[in-house]
Amino acid sequence: MITVKDLQPHPLDQVHRLIEPGPVILVTTRHRGIPNVMTNGFNMMVRHDPPLIACTIGPWDHSYQALVETGECVISVPTADMAATVVDIGNCSGADVEKFEEFDLTAVSGAEVQAPLVAECFANIECRVADSSLVAPYSLFLLEAVRAWTDPSQPQPQLFHHRGDGTFTLDGPTVDLKDRTLSVKVDRVRHTG
């Protein structure tokens, strides 16, 4: 039997590498007429209906002030073939670089918010800040998706996930367990009924 003495301690400042929350995303804003895009690896779905997404964006990010002042953004979901560009976007500041121009990204007007969609991304989710009560203590914005778009020319996108220390994991094959879930429920009903 394994005990805690058989296990190796893991540094607390690296816990995020064990359970990274979701794919690397781009967050776009428009502040005083100027579009910006930042890379974000700390995000997760919070709720299905209404769709709420949590993102850590802090005062150290150039996009922070835009999000605080406008209350809106777009979450753009890049595919693995964009990984190098997405990392480069994250390694510079919108205070110094016009990122759409620098990285040859195509800004597309959305339907609900002023922040631009990124045409090269598989999906774009227009969002409004739904709750900012966790911003001061945790730099955590709760965003409500108000419109979402996907690119039909990318029917099976491969996303990538930040593992920390400059490493990433790519999505693998999709595993469909819908029938298994149904059969497990049926078995449980038979055994408990």
Side-chain angles (χ1 to χ4, degrees), residues 162-180:
H162 185 245
R163 304 246 325 149
D165 197 28
T167 62
F168 298 84
T169 302
L170 301 180
D171 282 346
T174 299
V175 178
D176 184 346
L177 299 175
K178 287 184 280 241
D179 291 338
R180 172 78 179 132

Side-chain angles (χ1 to χ4, degrees), residues 45 53 69 85 94 104 145:
M45 286 302 304
I53 303 161
E69 287 184 25
T85 299
D104 201 25

Side-chain angles (χ1 to χ4, degrees), residues 114-176:
Q114 296 298 309
L117 285 64
V118 179
E120 291 75 15
C121 287
F122 155 70
N124 285 274
I125 306 165
E126 297 181 56
C127 298
R128 290 201 178 94
V129 174
D131 187 336
S132 60
S133 64
L134 298 173
V135 172
Y138 302 110
S139 300
L140 187 70
F141 287 85
L142 288 178
L143 306 169
E144 181 175 352
V146 295
R147 187 69 76 105
W149 310 93
T150 57
D151 181 352
S153 73
Q154 300 183 52
Q156 297 183 330
Q158 184 178 42
L159 307 182
F160 63 106
H161 307 262
H162 185 245
R163 304 246 325 149
D165 197 28
T167 62
F168 298 84
T169 302
L170 301 180
D171 282 346
T174 299
V175 178
D176 184 346

Side-chain angles (χ1 to χ4, degrees), residues 86-98:
V86 171
V87 169
D88 289 346
I89 289 168
N91 285 333
C92 64
S93 172
D96 306 318
V97 176
E98 204 300 320

